[in-house]
Amino acid sequence: MAAGVLVLALAVPVAWVQGVGQSRARSPQDVGPVDAVIVLGAGLRADGTPSPYLRRRLAMAADLHERGVASTVILSGDAHERADGSPYDEPAAMRDWIVARGVPEEDLVLDHEGFDTTATCRRAHDVYGVRSAVIVTQDYHLRRALFSCARAGLDAVGVGVSAASVRPVQWAWWHVREVPASWKAGARELVGL
């Protein structure tokens, strides 16, 4: 009996998060007009340029913008000073990359306080007034991101981009870590934290 309760306590939050997210996942061709395309940060390389995973997200956002899905693109990520005093600014690096691909700078909103997915979704809704959005992130992360955005009040759908990696262990780790991350997101909502 106790084992069954434990299994349910572990499985229900994960299933809820993944189910809500899956119901909102779309192919790039199946997204319609929204208030904004939101690109979640995915790290910078040592030279301060977007990581390969972030470049995939930005390329998709540029494509969606060009197709007229949204006139606004929110670039959300971390910005802080590194231990050595050098700047770490994901949104600025994202801006530079996407502007070089033809997206006008005036169509961009830089969210320097996108420290995690939940913060990005809440800020898009509460600070930037977004009510409908397309979220762009890697496919393994998409369902949890969409769950977070729905809980923040956004009418969001999402497009997942490739998480392919030259290091198979890294690819596997990202997928595995989504289970406890999904559990945490679901459990937090279930207990009202």
Side-chain angles (χ1 to χ4, degrees):
M1 171 87 165
V5 171
L6 180 60
V7 167
L8 280 175
L10 295 174
V12 167
V14 173
W16 182 34
V17 168
Q18 294 294 307
V20 167
Q22 185 60 42
S23 72
R24 297 170 177 272
R26 303 287 184 270
S27 69
Q29 300 77 21
D30 294 332
V31 294
V34 293
D35 295 340
V37 172
I38 301 173
V39 183
L40 302 172
L44 301 178
R45 298 181 343 180
D47 66 359
T49 61
S51 70
Y53 313 101
L54 185 51
R55 288 194 308 267
R56 291 176 194 159
R57 296 176 187 192
L58 292 165
M60 177 59 68
D63 178 63
L64 294 171
H65 179 273
E66 183 179 327
R67 289 188 8 230
V69 170
S71 59
T72 301
V73 179
I74 297 176
L75 306 173
S76 185
D78 190 3
H80 64 274
E81 188 174 286
R82 296 178 188 180
D84 67 2
S86 65
Y88 181 91
D89 192 340
E90 278 184 298
M94 295 161 77
R95 176 201 58 219
D96 295 346
W97 195 94
I98 203 167
V99 165
R101 270 100 195 136
V103 177
E105 190 166 355
E106 60 268 17
D107 291 352
L108 304 176
V109 172
L110 276 61
D111 177 13
H112 287 94
E113 295 181 35
F115 303 121
D116 61 33
T117 304
T118 300
T120 296
C121 296
R122 287 184 179 149
R123 288 177 55 75
H125 184 270
D126 298 344
V127 176
Y128 302 115
V130 174
R131 296 299 176 255
S132 62
V134 175
I135 306 302
V136 181
T137 187
Q138 259 64 34
D139 48 17
Y140 70 87
H141 177 238
L142 183 62
R143 289 171 295 284
R144 182 168 54 90
L146 288 167
F147 175 85
S148 293
C149 286
R151 303 308 295 170
L154 282 176
D155 179 14
V157 296
V159 175
V161 297
S162 173
S165 174
V166 295
R167 299 183 310 185
V169 170
Q170 185 177 39
W171 178 91
W173 170 244
W174 287 334
H175 285 76
V176 168
R177 76 174 217 188
E178 274 305 299
V179 175
S182 292
W183 180 85
K184 180 180 175 184
R188 180 178 290 154
E189 288 296 324
L190 287 171
V191 297
L193 295 176

